[in-house]
């Protein structure tokens, strides 16, 4: 990466700030927004969760309870790593509740090292945990080898509680930033203390090298695990990096209110703290579902005045925001450089237009069938790939793109 871009990226994280969110602007059609085409690339999948492309256009994708598979450019599909029927078994893959095989990322140097990274829930050694696993793919995309668990200690919800089942709130998205470090999103497991606990990896965004070690410049608060980039999160399932600056933006769904999109700053606190709310009735001590935007805010600026401010939120309700990716290329017209976000409960994709500070100034809705949107990924030709819970992967592109 050129030195100037690297320097801008580092300084924006270390010293950057965000202004307060301006609420949720009314949705409307942006001037000069593109017309879209939609093609079903894969269907009849079993709970697909994420996908990534290698430099030659091969698609890797995950199914939550099956593992990692590959779709070759000729359209053939086979399973690489996971449950029975995969080329390499992963007998420790744990699928319950929201857990299983989730995020997938391709190494920036894949052409030379053939390496990919998988976020998975595991019962290896009899103790359930979330892990980031590194794998090497053979040149023919027939199998994987050299498994290394580079982050073995991401918390996992092992038992049902009064607020939910086992396997809840894992986060699970993996993405490489412009800085060539790996970002890992994790969830709060319905554990009231995890988000603000700097010794634990739950409710965080991690930033690590390809061996799982802390990346330089994380600016983790004193005494915290140095792999932590930001903390105070509920359950981040969307992350991407703004073109030109490399600043990460996350999408995070709220409890019964307040989905948020937030630009991140190194060492920043997202302000989620679902504990010790004396005026609320909190089953098991977890106050996350017990209040409203005022009594149990997603970003608590009273407890944490310096918390990172969201670029956008929908305040009084949650539509289950999840994935996010920036659109790029002139074919996207007015949406070039905008952030596309997907909703699960809300069954739609919206496009957020941002100002220079990263605040949302307008939003539009993509004209797509209503489905639970699980992943959004920029494709090899700057088209948009959409993973839906209903078992399909779509290619969405501007007409002529």
């Amino acid at each position: 990466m050129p030195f100037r871009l690297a320097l801008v990226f580092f300084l924006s994280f270390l010293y950057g700030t965000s202004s307060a969110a301006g609420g949720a602007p009314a949705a409307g059609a942006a001037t000069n927004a593109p017309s879209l085409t939609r093609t079903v690339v894969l269907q009849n999948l079993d709970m697909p969760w994420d996908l990534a492309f290698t430099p030659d256009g091969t698609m890797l994708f995950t199914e939550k309870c099956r593992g990692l598979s590959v779709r070759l450019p000729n359209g053939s599909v086979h399973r690489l790593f996971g449950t029975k029927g995969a080329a390499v078994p992963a007998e420790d893959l744990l699928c319950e509740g929201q857990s299983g095989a989730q995020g997938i990322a391709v190494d920036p140097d894949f052409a030379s090292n053939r390496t990919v990274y998988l976020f998975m829930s595991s019962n290896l050694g009899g103790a359930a945990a979330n892990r980031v696993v590194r794998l090497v793919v053979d040149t023919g995309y027939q199998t994987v080898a050299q498994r290394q668990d580079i982050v073995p200690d991401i918390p996992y919800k092992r038992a049902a509680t009064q607020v939910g089942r086992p396997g809840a709130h894992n986060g699970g998205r993996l993405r490489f930033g412009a800085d060539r470090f790996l970002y890992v999103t994790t969830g709060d497991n319905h554990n009231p203390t995890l988000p603000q606990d700097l010794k634990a990896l739950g409710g965080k965004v991690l930033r690590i090298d390809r061996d799982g070690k802390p990346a330089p410049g994380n600016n983790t608060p004193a005494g915290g695990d140095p792999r932590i980039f930001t903390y105070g999160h509920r359950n981040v399932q969307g992350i991407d990096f703004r073109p030109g600056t490399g600043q990460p933006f996350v999408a995070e769904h709220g409890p019964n209110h307040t989905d948020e999109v937030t630009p991140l700053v190194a060492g920043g606190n997202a302000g989620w703290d679902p504990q010790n709310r004396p005026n609320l009735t909190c089953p098991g001590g977890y106050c996350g579902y017990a209040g409203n935007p005022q009594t149990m805010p997603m970003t608590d600026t009273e407890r944490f005045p310096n918390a990172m401010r969201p670029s956008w939120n929908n305040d009084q309700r949650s539509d289950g925001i999840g994935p996010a990716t920036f659109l790029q290329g002139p074919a996207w017209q007015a949406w070039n450089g905008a952030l596309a976000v997907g909703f699960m409960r809300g069954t739609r994709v919206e496009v957020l237009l941002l100002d220079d500070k990263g605040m949302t100034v307008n939003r539009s809705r993509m004209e797509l069938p209503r489905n639970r949107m699980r992943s959004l990924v920029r494709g090899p030709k700057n088209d948009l790939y959409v993973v839906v819970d209903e078992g399909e992967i779509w290619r969405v592109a501007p007409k002529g793109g």
Side-chain angles (χ1 to χ4, degrees):
M1 181 173 59
F3 175 76
R4 176 179 292 181
L5 178 58
L7 181 60
V8 169
F9 176 80
F10 177 79
L11 292 177
S12 69
F13 287 169
L14 196 57
Y15 303 114
T17 58
S18 299
S19 60
T31 303
N32 201 31
S35 299
L36 303 177
T37 63
R38 181 183 68 95
T39 305
V40 177
V41 176
L42 286 174
Q43 56 188 348
N44 300 319
L45 302 177
D46 182 14
M47 291 184 286
W49 210 92
D50 201 10
L51 65 85
F53 288 95
T54 66
D56 64 7
T58 296
M59 177 196 294
L60 299 166
F61 66 93
T62 59
E63 295 168 282
K64 193 162 67 72
C65 294
R66 302 183 79 205
L68 175 64
S69 297
V70 60
R71 179 187 185 273
L72 297 173
N74 65 11
S76 63
V77 175
H78 62 273
R79 296 176 60 208
L80 293 174
F81 179 78
T83 52
K84 185 178 179 181
V88 175
E91 295 180 357
D92 61 310
L93 176 61
L94 178 58
C95 178
E96 60 176 349
Q98 299 171 10
S99 70
Q102 296 183 275
I104 180 69
V106 171
D107 193 286
D109 297 318
F110 180 86
S112 59
N113 64 24
R114 308 291 300 180
T115 302
V116 299
Y117 303 80
L118 174 68
F119 187 106
M120 63 179 282
S121 303
S122 164
N123 58 11
L124 191 66
N130 290 305
R131 296 169 174 263
V132 179
V133 175
R134 188 177 69 200
L135 301 164
V136 175
V137 184
D138 74 303
T139 55
Y141 294 100
Q142 298 300 307
T143 189
V144 296
Q146 301 180 43
R147 171 177 171 172
Q148 293 289 326
D149 292 25
I150 63 170
V151 186
D153 54 342
I154 299 171
Y156 179 88
K157 185 180 180 183
R158 298 180 181 179
T161 63
Q162 293 169 276
V163 294
R165 297 181 295 170
H169 287 199
N170 301 291
R173 201 70 68 182
L174 300 179
R175 293 290 184 265
F176 274 94
D179 58 358
R180 299 168 64 85
F181 289 111
L182 181 62
Y183 291 71
V184 183
T185 76
T186 73
D188 73 2
N189 299 171
H190 290 149
N191 182 330
T193 64
L194 267 184
Q196 297 296 326
D197 182 355
L198 290 167
K199 297 290 188 182
L201 300 185
K204 312 294 190 300
V205 174
L206 314 180
R207 179 170 169 264
I208 56 175
D209 69 13
R210 287 174 261 187
D211 293 319
K213 298 177 181 177
N218 279 347
N219 199 31
T220 310
D225 189 307
R227 293 171 290 182
I228 294 171
F229 183 69
T230 57
Y231 63 104
H233 293 286
R234 181 175 182 268
N235 191 26
V236 175
Q237 291 190 6
I239 184 168
D240 200 20
F241 308 89
R242 192 173 193 184
T245 69
Q247 184 173 21
F249 281 65
V250 295
E252 186 168 7
H253 58 262
N256 50 325
H257 60 80
T258 319
D259 298 321
E260 291 184 343
V261 170
T262 305
L264 301 185
V265 177
N269 186 349
W272 176 246
D273 189 22
Q275 62 177 326
N276 303 326
R277 304 276 169 172
N279 295 322
L280 299 179
T281 300
C282 303
Y286 184 79
C287 300
Y289 300 105
N292 56 45
Q294 289 72 46
T295 60
M296 184 58 252
M298 274 285 282
T299 301
D300 192 332
T301 55
E302 289 190 9
R303 288 190 178 186
F304 312 108
N306 295 322
M308 298 177 293
R309 278 16 182 210
S311 165
W312 173 90
N313 69 64
N314 57 356
D315 199 26
Q316 298 296 327
R317 72 178 192 275
S318 170
D319 281 342
I321 199 171
T325 195
F326 280 95
L327 304 174
Q328 293 188 46
W332 287 103
Q333 301 179 53
W335 292 350
N336 183 14
L339 182 66
V341 294
F343 295 83
M344 289 170 283
R345 179 183 175 187
T347 62
R348 66 186 187 277
V349 175
E350 291 196 6
V351 180
L352 306 183
L353 278 67
L354 310 177
D355 65 16
D356 290 344
K357 294 181 178 180
M359 297 296 105
T360 299
V361 294
N362 196 8
R363 61 189 176 101
S364 300
R365 182 176 300 181
M366 286 193 177
E367 295 298 325
L368 296 172
R370 301 300 292 257
N371 285 264
R372 287 175 56 88
M373 307 299 178
R374 180 60 62 178
S375 184
L376 302 176
V377 176
R378 195 165 50 253
K381 297 180 180 179
N382 284 330
D383 38 12
L384 178 67
Y385 282 77
V386 182
V387 179
V388 300
D389 277 0
E390 289 77 1
E392 295 184 339
I393 296 176
W394 307 335
R395 176 184 178 266
V396 176
K399 286 186 178 178

